[in-house]
Amino acid sequence: MFIRLELGLAGRGLLDGAGQLYNVIITGHGILPDELIPLSILYSNILHYGPPSRNANTLEVSRDIQRNSPQRIIKPLTDHPYHTELGPYLAGFLEGDGTIYVPPRFRNDSGDILYCQISVAFDVRELVFAEYLMSKLGGTVENHGTYVRWVVTAFNELVFIANLINGHMRTPKIAALSRLINFLHLHYPLLPVDNLKPLDTSPIDSNAWLSGMWDADGGFVLTISKAKDMRLGGVDRVKIMAKIELTTEYKRGVDLTLSTSSYYPILRTIADYFKVRTGLIAVGK
């Protein structure tokens, strides 16, 4: 506005003919916005994300997060209402059928940042359940024809699920949760990820963990055996069996301070709960 008035007035103007001062004002008019705007952006980012870490990757990671979706950091899911048994149930479900993927390094050979994900594959007939999980916990559902995948990659959703199941794991897959937490702590130190809690050793019926595990890897079998010769008084036989199938060993490395690599202890706990003496059958895989 001052520059326009100076140019619009006849004669010596507001500056009384001080040409050097006019040049200084013009130069400052161009330089100050170039300096103040970046400082304003930097201060705004510090308010939202906190000061940068000494980790060499942090500043670039923060830029990557802001470029894709700032809400992934600053809008957690903790304000969403959920049942208190969702944590144990989801832990059992993910320990049965879920995959917690953690990349082996921060970048690939092309320099692109690699991301963690939590996923579950379902038979296509279970699409409704996959969509229900998506509605409650976020993520996306991918339809692959004969099967569908529920996939979670957004930071706020990963953090919410990790914190939700933390402390409710009962199998060697706690090692996968440990890798996820360690990776996020190392490369994304601003995320509110809880430290890893130990295995849940509470009674198996104290929460909904077994329901989640059973939905993933359990089932009921109904067998009807037809009588060979009804004329000899034979009768049909009906046999009902409940079973749960798990691999014998966790294939990835397990820190023995967290858990053993064998699934036998948790199967033994389930068998003891149902008072089954000879219900464990080892099947090589």
Side-chain angles (χ1 to χ4, degrees), residues 166-217:
N166 194 4
H168 299 297
M169 306 289 278
R170 293 177 181 263
T171 76
K173 197 173 276 189
I174 191 176
L177 178 61
S178 176
R179 287 193 297 272
L180 174 63
I181 291 174
N182 291 338
F183 187 92
L184 295 178
H185 278 169
L186 176 62
H187 298 294
Y188 302 91
L190 302 180
L191 291 174
V193 186
D194 295 340
N195 293 325
L196 183 68
K197 299 175 184 178
L199 284 177
D200 183 1
T201 58
S202 64
I204 200 71
D205 61 353
S206 64
N207 56 41
W209 181 90
L210 185 57
S211 295
M213 172 60 74
W214 202 278
D215 277 352
D217 282 334

Side-chain angles (χ1 to χ4, degrees), residues 11-54:
R12 300 177 64 86
L14 295 175
L15 297 178
D16 195 26
Q20 181 63 29
L21 178 58
Y22 180 76
N23 289 337
V24 171
I25 293 173
I26 289 292
T27 303
H29 170 264
I31 291 176
L32 286 177
D34 291 340
E35 297 296 331
L36 291 177
I37 290 176
L39 287 175
S40 175
I41 294 174
L42 176 61
Y43 181 68
S44 176
N45 288 340
I46 289 175
L47 285 178
H48 279 298
Y49 302 102
S53 165
R54 294 184 181 273

Side-chain angles (χ1 to χ4, degrees), residues 46-124:
I46 289 175
L47 285 178
H48 279 298
Y49 302 102
S53 165
R54 294 184 181 273
N55 188 324
N57 292 316
T58 300
L59 185 56
E60 186 171 354
V61 168
S62 296
R63 288 172 179 168
D64 177 73
I65 293 172
Q66 294 170 38
R67 181 168 60 250
N68 285 285
S69 175
Q71 297 301 316
R72 292 182 173 188
I73 291 274
I74 62 178
K75 186 180 179 183
L77 286 177
T78 50
D79 58 344
H80 287 201
Y82 60 91
H83 197 281
T84 55
E85 290 296 325
L86 179 58
Y89 174 87
L90 189 61
F93 189 74
L94 291 177
E95 287 184 277
D97 267 352
T99 298
I100 301 176
Y101 170 75
V102 179
R105 48 185 174 161
F106 185 68
R107 296 180 183 275
N108 61 18
D109 293 337
S110 301
D112 300 322
I113 295 176
L114 302 174
Y115 295 97
C116 306
Q117 72 171 224
I118 294 175
S119 64
V120 181
F122 299 86
D123 185 278
V124 69

